[in-house]
């Protein structure tokens, strides 16, 4: 499942599973490079498949996503470094319960994966920030912060942390249950996640109905 | 989902979905080469992930699979060419309803993915054939047939056909519905398959229950 669908589906499951869902911005380009992986779309047939797969999944999940008109430019030439630095800056400002990273993250994926808009220019990031509920002056501050060494280092640190979980791509879903960690790549594993996290997260299951004779 | 789990899960859904499930042996090494893809396990972190993912999926699907003790030898040095030629020979002998390819295929994956046994030597293929219900003389004939140019060509032809569906790996599930074709890679797409094939395959859906006021 493409990366932009996963957080949306996780958000839907959040209450059902009763989980504390946290968004941690990391840099996909770094993960691909550090793991020695290649972007999947560099294999032509895989790129074709991803397009039809995305169309079907979008309908299935009711999440309005589609490939940008020029995916190569959007994904490889422009990339997500600026967006992830901006999100990292947002994460510094986030307070418990205000879901700012989630909101800005949603605005950003909607731009690139739904309305085919830029996510690298300051004006684009501003718009995402404003739509997520930040004030104009907050957004200014965030843009400045996003360029600071502190934020660059923090994004590197989160990306390094992702690599400790043996990542080879993103998104990576790291589930913490009872002191144990289960790592899931991509998002074709929601049933498996539910199965692995088991009763601890799902809460006590209702008794099986007894057949009345 | 690893390749050996997919046919098993599809076999379970066969009656529920009321589908005509056909096994078509093709050569994974050929598909990887022709598509310009790389085997996933060549990225070290991906190989690690595949191991833990397989363990979880095996429990979840209740299919007794685990990695061979020496996966590199099993997958890359030995490969599946002999096994696929043997299965192609079996497919020549198959009659409607006797599911011979399915049965031999199951015996073969159980060897490599469950009991960590060879699937390249004639003795190994024989054992798989015998366990699937062939007589000793049938197995002898199949082993001879598997080495023939006719069978080598047939496997090449099926692999070429897979490539026409823009494959970059196997298994590939090709669904034919109402003259249309939907192609699914891997097996993380069972829900999506069910969704795409829709009412035609699933049969008429029951009306939504009406709330009684």
């Amino acid at each position: 499942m493409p990366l932009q669908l996963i957080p949306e589906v996780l958000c839907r499951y959040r209450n059902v599973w009763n989980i504390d869902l946290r968004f941690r911005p990391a840099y996909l380009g770094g993960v691909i490079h550090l793991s020695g992986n290649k972007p999947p779309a560099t294999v032509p047939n895989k790129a074709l498949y991803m397009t039809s797969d995305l169309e079907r999944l979008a309908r299935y999940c009711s999440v309005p996503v589609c490939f940008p008109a020029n995916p190569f430019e959007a994904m490889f030439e422009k990339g997500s470094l600026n967006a992830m630095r901006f999100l990292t800056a947002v994460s510094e400002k986030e307070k418990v319960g205000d879901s700012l990273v989630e909101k800005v993250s949603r605005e950003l994926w909607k731009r690139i994966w739904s309305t085919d808009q830029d996510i690298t220019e300051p004006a684009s990031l501003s718009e995402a920030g404003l739509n997520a509920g930040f004030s104009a002056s907050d957004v200014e501050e965030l843009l400045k912060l996003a360029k600071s060494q502190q934020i660059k280092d923090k994004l590197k640190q989160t990306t390094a942390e992702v690599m400790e979980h043996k990542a080879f791509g993103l998104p990576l879903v790291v589930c913490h249950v009872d002191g144990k960690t289960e790592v899931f790549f991509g998002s074709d594993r929601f049933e498996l996640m539910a199965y692995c996290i088991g009763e601890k997260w799902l809460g006590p299951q209702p008794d099986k109905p007894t057949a009345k004779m």
Side-chain angles (χ1 to χ4, degrees), chain A residues 26-123:
Chain A
Y27 179 45
L28 176 58
V31 172
I32 295 278
H33 174 73
L34 290 167
S35 65
N37 203 355
K38 284 199 306 183
T42 50
V43 176
N45 281 358
K46 208 181 272 190
L48 274 176
Y49 182 77
M50 286 166 74
T51 311
S52 74
D53 197 46
L54 184 66
E55 274 172 31
R56 293 189 300 217
L57 280 166
R59 287 204 311 270
Y60 177 63
C61 298
S62 299
V63 178
V65 288
C66 58
F67 263 87
N70 189 339
F72 186 83
E73 181 196 62
M75 289 191 278
F76 298 109
E77 289 177 7
K78 290 183 158 190
S80 61
L81 186 57
N82 288 356
M84 289 302 128
R85 283 181 179 158
F86 187 70
L87 271 178
T88 304
V90 171
S91 74
E92 293 286 282
K93 300 287 174 191
E94 191 174 53
K95 293 190 190 76
V96 176
D98 65 10
S99 309
L100 288 175
V101 178
E102 177 184 330
K103 287 173 189 163
V104 178
S105 173
R106 183 172 290 118
E107 293 303 323
L108 288 170
W109 80 244
K110 273 160 60 182
R111 291 183 72 87
I112 179 167
W113 287 106
S114 196
T115 51
D116 198 359
Q117 291 174 284
D118 172 83
I119 58 162
T120 62
E121 300 297 330

Side-chain angles (χ1 to χ4, degrees), chain A residues 10 15 17 38 40-41 49 65 69 91 99 107 115 121 134 140 144 146 152 164-165 171 176 189 194 202 205 212:
Chain A
L10 276 178
N15 293 328
W17 288 353
K38 284 199 306 183
Y49 182 77
V65 288
S91 74
S99 309
E107 293 303 323
T115 51
E121 300 297 330
F134 278 102
E140 274 309 304
K144 202 178 285 176
K152 289 179 186 175
E164 283 170 24
H165 289 296
H176 302 275
R189 294 291 187 267
L202 289 170
Q205 299 300 294
K212 282 183 186 166

Side-chain angles (χ1 to χ4, degrees), chain A residues 24-27 88 153-163:
Chain A
R24 306 282 310 277
Y27 179 45
T88 304
D153 288 345
K154 195 180 170 198
L155 181 59
K156 273 187 198 159
Q157 190 193 315
T158 310
T159 306
E161 211 178 301
V162 167
M163 291 309 297

